[in-house]
Amino acid sequence: MTTETAPAAGPATTAPAAPVWSTDPRTGDHRAQVAVEAGPSDVDRAVRAAAGAAHALADRPRRAALLRTAAEHLERAADEVIAVADAESALGAPRLAGELARTTYQLRQFAGIVEEGAYLDVVIDHADPALGRPDLRRIRTALGVVAVFAASNFPLAFSVPGGDTASALAAGCPVVVKAHPDHPATAELCTRLLRDAATAVGLPEDVVSLVHGFEAGLALVRHPLTAAVGFTGSVRGGRALHDIAAARPRPIPFHGELGSLNPVVVTPAAAAGRAAEIGAGLAASFTLGNGQFCVKPGLVLTPAAASGAGELEKAVVEAAGRAPAAPLLDSRMRAAFLSGVRERAALAEVEELLAAAEEPTATAPLAVRPGVLAVPAALLAADGPHALLLEECFGPVTVLARYRDQAELAAVLARLDGNLTATVQLAADERGEDAAALLRGLVPLAGRIVVDGWPTGVAVAPAMHHGGPYPASTSTATSVGAGAIARWLRPVSYQAVPQELLPAELHDDNPLGVPRRVDGHPQPGRSR
């Protein structure tokens, strides 16, 4: 495959680069031009510069220092970062302050992971003549340049300084980020802070770089030196990029987080005992962040005839109705949300318990209010137009599917695609085989199972899995937590290699003190 380059024509025949605007989602007005879209030659330069910086990232202590220093730079610039991100996302300073704290925590967490070294998964099997086995030593090594596509709904934690970038740098992979058009100024600011952090610890600034533009994203995935891709976004966009990555002469891993309905099952006993609590919790969850979380509960299976069913619906509608009107991330998403809700509400036997609609405010003319739809679950259990209700509608709306019996519940669950999460609301005494069977039935549908809680809120923890069967994600990996680093590594075995030619982590005396498994026995590393 050849590298895409700019045409050889002079300025008179070369189309000018398109401007990149920072836009206020509250009004739809341009704020400022922050950049121009990258052309093929710009992408080529960014990827080649990143590849040239890869050797410097082999230094694990310096890599850990980079991650910690990046966190410090972001914190020192917190006021500016939050102000710029709010101007482009309308997510509000309190929410963005929390997101920035999550972002810096992730960076520091990965610094600790790098220093500990367990992620290298070092295994040593000494030669055993009796078994005819040579000396074998395995370690994980960095893939190379990682392309990261920033997410619309998390301008910090899933964008330039977010988990994909942090985990890729931790693995030793330089990163080229494709900025999201919803927050280009935030992307520029955060890139500058990360590049300054690299320089401060003695690394090339090109370990992190940024490009803008739709075509630049395509060129980034196609570039022969791009070794892997991390993506968070729509099913349509993610699948298109996934297919490009797979169709390359040398296919590369594409770790995409795409769409998710995040079903919730409410048992009859739970509805009877906790209707008001469940209704209020559901409303808080699906309106959080104005419904723009990838783990928003979009389909809730409620028992039609259970005691408390009506109270639950009333509680959801009342609590959601009190949620303030707010803008979505951009005008395109706003239009898609409003048309998507209208299309769903127009289906036969769908009740609009709370009408989602435009609701301009003094400061946000493009604000919308949330909606709640209800439908007999039987209509979702068969092919037909109601299958639309089993597709994600991005924004503050949820669908209550009223099931009459366990067979109807099972029929709807059988029609669901893969999800990031699946939630069950149980009664306090539902801890027997029926509840266990319900959970077992949900495991094939989702990457995270939640009981008596809500899926919004994804803890940055070693045990977290943020992913799921397609279309929730395109791989079995997690994009959140310590396990996210594994996406950017591959194992290499060394056979009968002299000690002095091995990586230090594979030496018998373990000079770097990394955890290892030697001849089948685990050996802890040194405490940091």
Side-chain angles (χ1 to χ4, degrees), residues 101-307:
R102 174 194 180 95
T103 302
T104 56
Y105 176 82
Q106 285 181 146
L107 288 162
R108 291 190 172 99
Q109 182 190 57
F110 279 112
I113 289 168
V114 171
E115 289 172 334
E116 180 192 42
Y119 77 95
L120 293 167
D121 192 26
V122 173
V123 180
I124 296 175
D125 291 319
H126 289 103
D128 188 334
L131 296 175
R133 184 181 72 198
D135 186 276
L136 291 169
R137 299 167 189 241
R138 191 186 72 200
I139 192 171
R140 289 176 174 173
T141 189
L143 288 177
V145 178
V146 170
V148 170
F149 283 72
S152 63
N153 54 344
F154 282 87
L156 303 174
F158 282 85
S159 292
V160 170
D164 283 353
T165 297
S167 59
L169 291 173
C173 296
V175 172
V176 180
V177 182
K178 190 274 181 187
H180 196 280
D182 281 357
H183 36 80
T186 308
E188 288 283 342
L189 172 57
C190 291
T191 300
R192 174 172 59 80
L193 293 169
L194 265 60
R195 287 169 70 90
D196 287 349
T199 301
V201 300
L203 288 170
E205 63 180 7
D206 287 323
V207 296
V208 180
S209 57
L210 183 72
V211 296
H212 298 268
F214 176 82
E215 293 296 331
L218 302 182
L220 187 55
V221 176
R222 292 183 174 122
H223 197 285
L225 294 180
T226 298
V229 182
F231 173 89
T232 301
S234 69
V235 174
R236 181 180 177 185
R239 183 54 192 259
L241 292 172
H242 170 276
D243 291 350
I244 290 172
R248 290 169 35 130
R250 182 175 61 86
I252 56 174
F254 182 91
H255 298 287
E257 180 196 318
L258 311 184
S260 187
L261 194 60
N262 304 301
V264 178
V265 176
V266 182
T267 68
R274 302 193 293 118
E277 173 195 337
I278 293 171
L282 170 60
S285 185
F286 90 82
T287 63
L288 184 66
N290 211 21
Q292 298 172 112
F293 284 94
C294 52
V295 288
K296 179 202 77 175
L299 177 71
V300 185
L301 291 136
T302 62
S307 170

Side-chain angles (χ1 to χ4, degrees), residues 16-45:
V20 175
W21 293 96
S22 174
T23 302
D24 183 348
R26 297 173 174 91
T27 64
D29 296 333
H30 286 333
R31 297 176 58 248
Q33 181 181 339
V34 299
V36 294
E37 293 187 355
S41 60
D42 300 314
V43 174
D44 183 58
R45 279 193 297 271

Side-chain angles (χ1 to χ4, degrees), residues 27 56 184 217 266 279 283 293 329 426 436 451 507:
T27 64
V266 182
F293 284 94
L329 292 163
L426 300 171
V451 173
H507 289 190

